[in-house]
């Protein structure tokens, strides 16, 4: 389009318009090429290329005045023969008939779209193992005679030989094929690595259904819980966080929504209630196959913050309310709560944590709140709690609420009925004992694992000692034996983790949800740094929960929707060795964690020791500086130097202790004075030397003076050595008579007495020598 000050020139490039103008002005062009129209103010000019058989190079330029621009075009349709060209016989001979073709074109958008979900076909594999053969029912295989009789009956049939020959030929063919195959050759080495990619089991999940919140405005779903006995039913618990709207009646909400509001965004949030008689605090039980209407509706007078089925009796649902009170609902009939605890026995803030525990009546549960209190309830009587403790990190019998942490999660495992776990809003994990009576007995220990509040804590269904904990921007796998430090199994992300759960079908699989709407599937046996599969949704994920069989995953979104995903077989099946490999992984990580804890304790002890030694050295230097300033010539200062010199004191004390010990040993020592044979006099004999002598020999020694006045003692010693009193007395009398006889004998018998005495001495000395040997 070329535009000038007065005229506009149109150049028609469209083939249809060009042909119209060419046909319309064909005769005018051939008769008068310079024809102009002065009466209409329009001019026409024509150009053509050199003479050719075709007219494709002709152009028609149409110009008009500026003042005629913008006028309404007047179009008309008429039938007029403008040109008639007779067919040429020469060209007709070269004409070829074209094959007919049918082409269809759809230019408009497709407006109708339908989708049908068909029932899945279940395949069941059956096998049979024949170790002897397939026998009829009437034949007893344990009876040899019966089997022999049946075998002969079959062998007498005509087609038996034909079947045997057919089996022989088939077996020979298979044997020949096996013999032709080289079992040591690698046949598929040259194939590309991605050739078998299509036959792998895909790691995917497809959406089955979406359950919308019936209320308007929609409420975020914060809790999902599958019914234990009925797998196709689950509990969705949306929460209305607006306290003002939650306390209002439905009629007041409708009236408020009809009032004009200046801000359109506010009007959009508070208007349009789905039903005028609906309760904004309701929560529901849905059937997996019906996403249009909930199966059971539960009403409440205030927002419900948490609700769970009783695992052992799913006819009852316990829930914590915004005001801190606890309620009990009938899961079969719905409606209003059966029982509600009084306000004076409730928590001071919203009850956000709840867990059922093992009991004979299956009606006992724990509840926790942001006020730091944990209460133990019996569903048969909600008037007052059975027990109440405060979540104090330094538990004492005199608990203080200002030191207590807020409770975010409560966890209980039925296989460990004595323990339960509490998670706090300050990143602490508390290990508690149900049998304890006082707070110090209940709160056994606590460990800080995170900086922010703990969102989820759940045990592995196959290894109950290992926990999955989601908080902050990471997920940790923790064991109770690790104490204050988690294992090295740590998964981080740039998005805040809001929830997590273990798969009940695959032991190494767990799922997490974050604030950006990503549902991540993690398998710690395949990869520990990135998820194996990710589902991206448009809303933050508030809660995820597997169905008890692990086939379906329910995902709760912030916009009030619950999306149900069906997992592929690859995500809900475990290999034969997965459980053993996961156990070895947990044990290895636990051992590594314990070694790291030991190393940390060693470093702390070394640092503490070095700090103590440095403090002692500093104190010693200060003392030396003080002693250097004192004058030893001054008696008072010299005494102060002595008193402040700790080394001198220690040495002095050590010297006193050693001196005292030496004196004590000297006092306890016994001195025994013994005389040797050389120190004895020639005529003296000890009491031991008299052993073995008769009474006449002792009397003879006394008479000769060999005992040197110690006859009585010798006699007593001899008697004490084993002689009886009578023999001692007789010996003494005999000695006395011998002395008298010796005195009366006179000098005549002196020589004989001396000879006898010498013989006795020799005899005694020999005995003493033999005894010494």
């Amino acid at each position: 389009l070329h535009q000038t000050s007065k005229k506009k020139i149109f150049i028609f490039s469209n083939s249809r318009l060009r042909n119209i103008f060419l046909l319309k002005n064909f005769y005018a062009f051939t008769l008068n090429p310079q024809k102009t129209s002065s009466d209409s103010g329009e001019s026409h000019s024509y150009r053509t290329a050199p003479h050719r058989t075709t007219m494709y190079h002709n152009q028609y330029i149409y110009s008009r005045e500026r003042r005629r621009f913008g006028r309404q075009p007047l179009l008309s349709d008429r039938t007029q023969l403008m040109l008639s060209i007779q067919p040429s016989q020469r060209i007709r001979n070269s004409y070829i008939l074209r094959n007919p073709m049918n082409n269809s074109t759809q230019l408009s958008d497709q407006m109708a779209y339908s989708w049908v979900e068909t029932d899945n076909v279940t395949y069941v594999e059956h096998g049979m193992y024949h170790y002897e053969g397939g026998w009829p029912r009437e034949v007893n295989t344990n009876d040899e005679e019966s089997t022999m009789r049946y075998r002969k009956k079959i062998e007498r049939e005509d087609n038996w030989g034909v079947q045997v020959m057919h089996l022989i030929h088939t077996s020979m063919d298979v044997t020949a094929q096996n013999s032709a195959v080289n079992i040591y050759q690698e046949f598929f080495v040259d194939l590309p690595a991605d050739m078998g990619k299509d036959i792998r089991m895909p790691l995917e999940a497809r959406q089955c259904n979406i359950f919308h919140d019936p209320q308007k405005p929609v409420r975020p779903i914060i809790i999902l819980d599958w019914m234990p006995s009925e797998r196709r039913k689950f509990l969705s618990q949306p929460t209305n966080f607006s306290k003002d709207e939650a306390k209002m009646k439905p009629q007041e909400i409708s009236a408020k929504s009809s009032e004009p509001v200046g801000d359109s965004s506010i009007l959009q949030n508070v208007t349009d209630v789905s039903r005028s008689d609906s309760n904004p605090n309701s929560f529901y039980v849905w059937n997996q196959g019906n996403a249009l209407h909930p199966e059971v509706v539960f009403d409440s007078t205030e927002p419900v913050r948490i609700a769970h089925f009783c695992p052992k009796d799913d006819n009852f649902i316990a829930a914590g309310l915004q005001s801190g009170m606890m309620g009990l609902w009938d899961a079969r009939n719905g409606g209003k709560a059966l029982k509600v605890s009084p306000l004076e026995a409730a928590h001071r803030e919203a009850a956000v944590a709840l867990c059922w525990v093992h009991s004979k009546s299956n009606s006992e549960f724990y509840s926790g709140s942001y006020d730091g209190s944990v209460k133990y309830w019996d569903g048969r009587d909600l008037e007052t709690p059975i027990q109440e403790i405060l979540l104090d990190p330094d538990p004492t019998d005199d608990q203080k609420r200002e030191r207590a942490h807020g409770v975010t999660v409560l966890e209980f495992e039925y296989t460990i009925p004595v323990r339960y776990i509490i998670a706090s809003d300050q990143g602490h994990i508390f290990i508690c004992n149900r049998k304890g009576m006082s707070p110090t007995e209940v709160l056994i220990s606590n460990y800080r694992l995170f900086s922010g509040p703990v969102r989820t804590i759940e045990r592995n269904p196959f290894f109950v000692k290992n926990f999955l904990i989601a908080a902050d921007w990471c997920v940790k796998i923790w064991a109770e034996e690790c104490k204050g430090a988690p294992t090295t199994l740590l998964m981080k992300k740039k998005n805040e983790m809001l929830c997590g759960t273990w798969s009940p079908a695959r032991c190494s699989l767990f799922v997490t949800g974050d604030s950006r709407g990503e549902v991540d599937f993690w398998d710690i046996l395949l990869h520990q740094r990135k998820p194996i599969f990710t589902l991206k949704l448009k809303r933050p994920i508030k809660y995820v929960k597997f169905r008890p069989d692990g086939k379906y995953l329910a995902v709760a979104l912030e916009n009030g929707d619950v999306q149900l995903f069906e997992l592929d077989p690859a995500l809900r099946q475990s290999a034969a060795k997965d459980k053993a490999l996961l156990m070895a992984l947990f044990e290895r990580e636990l051992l590594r964690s314990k070694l790291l804890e030991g190393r940390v304790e060693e470093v702390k002890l070394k640092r503490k020791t070095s700090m103590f030694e440095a403090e002692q050295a500093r104190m010693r230097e200060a003392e030396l500086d003080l002693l250097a300033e004192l004058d030893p010539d001054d008696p008072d200062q010299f005494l102060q130097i002595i008193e402040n010199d700790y080394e001198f004191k220690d040495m002095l004390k050590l010297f006193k202790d050693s001196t005292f010990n030496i004196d004590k040993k000297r006092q306890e020592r016994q001195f025994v004075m013994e005389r040797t044979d050389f120190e004895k006099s020639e005529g003296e004999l000890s009491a031991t030397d008299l052993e073995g002598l008769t009474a006449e020999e002792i009397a003879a020694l006394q008479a000769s003076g060999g005992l040197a006045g110690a006859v009585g003692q010798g006699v007593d010693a001899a008697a004490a050595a084993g002689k009886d009193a009578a023999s001692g007395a007789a010996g003494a009398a005999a000695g006395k008579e011998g002395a008298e006889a010796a005195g009366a004998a006179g000098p005549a018998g002196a020589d004989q007495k001396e000879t006898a005495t010498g013989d006795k001495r020799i005899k005694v000395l020999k005995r003493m020598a033999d005894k010494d040997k």
Side-chain angles (χ1 to χ4, degrees), residues 239-254:
T239 295
N240 190 352
F241 289 100
S242 178
K243 298 182 181 179
D244 298 334
E245 293 185 9
K247 294 180 180 180
M248 294 172 60
K249 297 180 180 179
Q251 294 79 4
E252 296 178 358
I253 296 178
S254 302

Side-chain angles (χ1 to χ4, degrees), residues 324-327 340-348 351 363-369 371 373-390 401 420 437:
M325 297 187 296
M326 305 303 299
V340 178
S341 63
L343 188 60
E344 58 271 12
H347 297 278
R348 298 187 179 184
S363 61
E364 299 176 2
F365 58 91
Y366 281 96
S367 65
S369 174
D371 62 352
S373 62
V374 178
K375 297 188 177 184
Y376 186 33
W377 303 86
D378 190 344
R380 297 171 296 182
D381 183 14
L382 295 179
E383 294 298 326
T384 179
I386 301 175
Q387 186 184 20
E388 179 181 3
I389 60 171
L390 297 179
R401 193 174 293 272
Y420 66 99
M437 301 303 295

Side-chain angles (χ1 to χ4, degrees), residues 687-745:
T688 57
D689 296 338
L690 300 178
E691 294 180 0
L693 299 180
T694 60
E696 293 98 1
E697 293 175 350
I698 294 175
L701 289 175
Q702 290 178 351
S704 62
L707 296 180
V711 178
Q713 296 178 0
V715 173
D716 294 338
K723 306 298 180 179
D724 52 359
S727 62
K736 188 175 181 179
E737 291 177 356
E740 293 178 353

Side-chain angles (χ1 to χ4, degrees), residues 264-497:
S264 60
S265 62
I266 300 177
L267 181 63
Q268 184 179 1
N269 292 332
V270 300
T271 58
D272 195 15
V273 180
S274 62
R275 294 180 301 176
S276 61
D277 58 344
S278 61
N279 190 337
N281 302 319
S282 300
F283 56 102
Y284 317 99
V285 170
W286 297 84
N287 193 314
Q288 183 179 336
N290 184 11
L292 299 178
H293 302 286
E295 188 166 309
V296 184
V297 180
F298 304 94
D299 296 331
S300 176
T301 57
E302 55 182 296
V304 179
R305 297 302 300 271
I306 189 170
H308 282 295
F309 282 108
C310 178
K312 299 300 181 181
D313 187 2
D314 53 13
N315 295 326
F316 296 98
I317 297 176
L321 307 181
Q322 179 71 30
S323 62
M325 297 187 296
M326 305 303 299
L328 194 66
W329 275 264
D330 186 357
R332 296 164 293 184
N333 302 324
K336 297 182 179 180
L338 300 177
K339 298 178 183 178
V340 178
S341 63
L343 188 60
E344 58 271 12
H347 297 278
R348 298 187 179 184
E349 295 186 23
V352 296
L354 184 145
C355 71
W356 291 87
V357 297
H358 175 75
S359 63
K360 295 182 179 179
S361 60
N362 295 324
S363 61
E364 299 176 2
F365 58 91
Y366 281 96
S367 65
S369 174
Y370 287 136
D371 62 352
S373 62
V374 178
K375 297 188 177 184
Y376 186 33
W377 303 86
D378 190 344
R380 297 171 296 182
D381 183 14
L382 295 179
E383 294 298 326
T384 179
I386 301 175
Q387 186 184 20
E388 179 181 3
I389 60 171
L390 297 179
L391 204 62
D392 191 351
D394 300 323
T396 57
D397 293 337
D398 185 15
Q399 291 188 314
K400 295 183 179 180
R401 193 174 293 272
E402 56 269 15
R403 297 184 307 186
H405 293 188
V407 181
T408 56
V409 182
L410 286 170
E411 194 279 335
F412 177 80
E413 173 62 32
Y414 273 77
T415 58
I416 310 176
V418 181
R419 298 286 183 90
Y420 66 99
I421 310 297
I422 305 175
S424 72
D425 58 354
Q426 299 186 22
H428 284 249
I429 302 296
F430 291 79
I431 310 298
C432 302
N433 181 19
R434 289 186 59 201
K435 300 299 182 181
M437 301 303 295
S438 61
T440 55
E441 296 176 355
V442 174
L443 302 175
I444 301 176
S445 57
N446 68 89
Y447 313 108
R448 183 175 182 180
L449 302 182
F450 299 93
S451 301
V454 179
R455 306 289 186 180
T456 303
I457 177 169
E458 184 175 339
R459 294 179 186 263
N460 188 301
F462 298 90
F463 305 96
V464 295
K465 291 186 178 180
N466 297 275
F467 302 87
L468 174 69
I469 307 176
D472 297 343
W473 288 265
C474 61
V475 175
K476 297 180 180 180
I477 297 179
W478 177 71
E480 212 175 311
E481 293 84 355
C482 294
K483 297 183 179 180
T487 60
T488 54
L489 297 175
L490 173 65
M491 294 74 177
K492 295 182 179 180
K493 285 199 68 177
K494 295 182 180 180
N495 310 327
E496 185 180 2
M497 294 289 187

Side-chain angles (χ1 to χ4, degrees), residues 12 18 22 29 47-49 54-60:
F12 296 94
R18 182 186 61 197
L22 289 176
F29 173 74
R47 293 184 304 168
T48 180
T54 61
M55 295 179 294
Y56 293 107
H57 293 274
N58 297 335
Q59 293 183 354
Y60 174 77

